[in-house]
Amino acid sequence: MIIDRFGRQFQNLRVSLTAACNYACTYCVPDGKKLQPATAELDGEHLLYAVRLLIDGAGIEKLRITGGEPMLSPKFEPFLRGVCELDLHDVAITTNGQFLPKYMPLLRDVKFKRLNVSLDTLDASHFRSIARSGDLAIVLQGIEMACEAGMKVKVNMVPLKTANFDQVVPLLDYCLDRGIELRFIELMNMGHLKLNDQYEKDFVSLDMLLDAIRSKYEVVPITAEHDSTSIRYEVVGRGTFGVIANESEPFCRSCSRLRLSSNGHLYGCLSNTKHYDLRPLLSMPYPLALNELQGVLSSAMGDKQSIAFTGETTVMKFIGG
Ligand code: SAM
């Protein structure tokens, strides 16, 4: 197992099934180009093989299936069934929710428990101007269905000063009414945002966010779950929410994440373009591949930032958000 000087280990793996997405969110997808996969994406069997190697070689305990939009990929069902049979403490999915109603029977069948649904606004026209596609009503229907099926649903919102800041309180109300935890994700200075001044124009800090919420609610900090990247708060008497405050309260010192992109590249850090092609290992005998993996993991661990995310031209939908 690789452990660095800060005691960091890889425990959480994010796997991007495909870089293609049916949305083209303004802050994520450059040029508004939807449905673009990465070149030479791995098939489901090779992705599963890579995941097995990473469980055994890196000590991965938790896995999140993401993308791009994971439910857009034909690999989604076989991959999900495959990972549910592996020795993992926790499997979760991050999705934009457009295919949630379609996949609800599958999720029920594999007794799926944890889902994060990205939703930046409850206003149907603003929804289209941020996501540049999609149907808000389907996302809301999917969330209701997942809650009814007993899944633990979290909603992810990226607050943006120029696009959806007025939705912070309505989205919180929506989640509190349903016992859903809302997670505000601070905008990260990635991809095309790094190339112009949009990041500065849109960034909403933790303080600004809390001020907006405190205009309506009494809010107190609460202890976060162990190993959580979010700072959690209680809306007194109503429920909880979390903030992933990448900028305002960086958590690189305790980052345990590793990312596998849909074309088999391993990334140790979102704030670093360095990556390692796992494809040669996927045709090696298992013991040899495990052995080779140790050097790769050691390099990937060395790519982590020691203090804070510094921004990078890497695009979330390619690395796996
Ligand atoms: N398609 C899926 C979805 O929409 O949840 C999974 C992939 S998406 C890249 C994962 C998450 O990354 C979404 O919640 C999205 O809002 C977030 N994201 C993308 N670009 C971001 C950025 N620059 N800063 C913060 N979050 C970002």
Side-chain angles (χ1 to χ4, degrees), residues 257-321:
R257 291 184 182 170
L258 183 63
R259 288 177 156 87
L260 177 64
S261 69
S262 53
N263 54 358
H265 293 176
L266 203 60
Y267 291 81
C269 177
L270 266 186
S271 191
N272 202 325
T273 51
K274 278 199 201 153
H275 56 271
Y276 308 89
D277 191 354
L278 282 195
R279 279 174 297 197
L281 276 64
L282 305 182
S283 50
M284 289 177 188
Y286 200 74
L288 182 59
L290 264 184
N291 201 33
E292 291 288 310
L293 184 64
Q294 292 309 308
V296 172
L297 291 171
S298 172
S299 303
M301 183 61 87
D303 295 340
K304 283 197 179 297
Q305 295 292 325
S306 48
I307 299 172
F309 179 79
T310 54
E312 201 36 273
T313 49
T314 43
V315 176
M316 195 77 105
K317 83 178 201 94
F318 282 104
I319 299 195

Side-chain angles (χ1 to χ4, degrees), residues 52-69:
R52 275 181 44 218
L53 273 176
L54 292 166
I55 293 173
D56 292 339
I60 294 299
E61 295 172 352
K62 296 180 174 182
L63 183 138
R64 178 171 293 280
I65 305 172
T66 181
E69 174 47 48

Side-chain angles (χ1 to χ4, degrees), residues 21 23 27-28 66-70 94-96 116-118 120 156 158 185-190 193 246 316-317 320-321:
C21 190
Y23 286 9
Y27 55 86
C28 183
T66 181
E69 174 47 48
T94 302
T95 175
N96 61 32
N116 284 44
V117 182
S118 301
D120 291 327
N156 290 348
V158 179
I185 307 176
E186 275 187 2
L187 184 65
M188 300 179 83
N189 199 2
M190 294 181 68
L193 298 181
N246 309 290
M316 195 77 105
K317 83 178 201 94

Side-chain angles (χ1 to χ4, degrees), residues 10-250:
F10 290 125
Q11 288 167 321
N12 296 303
L13 177 66
R14 300 196 156 207
V15 182
S16 171
L17 273 198
T18 175
C21 190
N22 47 331
Y23 286 9
C25 297
T26 51
Y27 55 86
C28 183
V29 180
D31 312 323
K33 286 184 185 152
K34 284 190 294 178
L35 302 171
Q36 287 204 318
T39 41
E41 296 198 331
L42 291 182
D43 63 31
E45 272 180 36
H46 282 97
L47 268 180
L48 265 177
Y49 190 78
V51 169
R52 275 181 44 218
L53 273 176
L54 292 166
I55 293 173
D56 292 339
I60 294 299
E61 295 172 352
K62 296 180 174 182
L63 183 138
R64 178 171 293 280
I65 305 172
T66 181
E69 174 47 48
M71 293 187 183
L72 189 64
S73 168
K75 285 173 267 186
F76 178 67
E77 175 164 354
F79 186 78
L80 179 66
R81 289 193 185 280
V83 292
C84 286
E85 284 170 11
L86 298 176
D87 185 18
L88 286 159
H89 292 180
D90 184 50
V91 180
I93 300 170
T94 302
T95 175
N96 61 32
Q98 285 296 315
F99 302 101
L100 251 185
K102 169 181 162 188
Y103 277 120
M104 202 51 66
L106 169 66
L107 296 178
R108 282 178 188 272
D109 192 42
V110 298
K111 301 188 173 43
F112 202 75
K113 294 191 191 75
R114 292 213 317 117
L115 207 57
N116 284 44
V117 182
S118 301
L119 178 60
D120 291 327
T121 176
L122 290 170
D123 177 306
S125 64
H126 285 157
F127 178 93
R128 295 284 295 193
S129 62
I130 297 173
R132 296 189 277 200
S133 188
D135 183 340
L136 173 64
I138 295 177
V139 183
L140 299 180
Q141 184 197 1
I143 292 174
E144 301 290 335
M145 291 170 84
C147 289
E148 275 165 23
M151 286 175 215
K152 188 173 172 201
V153 179
K154 287 182 179 162
V155 165
N156 290 348
M157 175 200 195
V158 179
L160 305 163
K161 252 190 246 163
T162 66
N164 63 352
F165 191 58
D166 63 336
Q167 290 290 302
V168 164
V169 172
L171 255 166
L172 183 59
D173 286 337
Y174 169 85
C175 290
L176 291 171
D177 287 347
R178 289 161 180 79
I180 293 172
E181 180 147 315
L182 179 57
R183 296 221 150 173
F184 297 101
I185 307 176
E186 275 187 2
L187 184 65
M188 300 179 83
N189 199 2
M190 294 181 68
H192 62 297
L193 298 181
K194 209 166 157 51
L195 308 175
N196 56 41
D197 60 356
Q198 201 55 42
Y199 176 75
E200 281 72 27
K201 283 187 185 151
D202 269 325
F203 177 72
V204 174
S205 68
L206 176 63
D207 284 347
M208 193 176 165
L209 181 74
L210 291 177
D211 282 349
I213 297 170
R214 286 189 166 125
S215 68
K216 175 162 182 185
Y217 289 118
E218 187 187 346
V219 168
V220 290
I222 52 172
T223 316
E225 303 154 28
H226 172 66
D227 196 26
S228 170
T229 50
S230 79
I231 308 173
R232 294 180 72 237
Y233 296 88
E234 183 184 355
V235 176
V236 177
R238 291 290 311 279
T240 58
F241 68 90
V243 187
I244 316 270
N246 309 290
E247 281 292 319
S248 305
E249 302 270 345

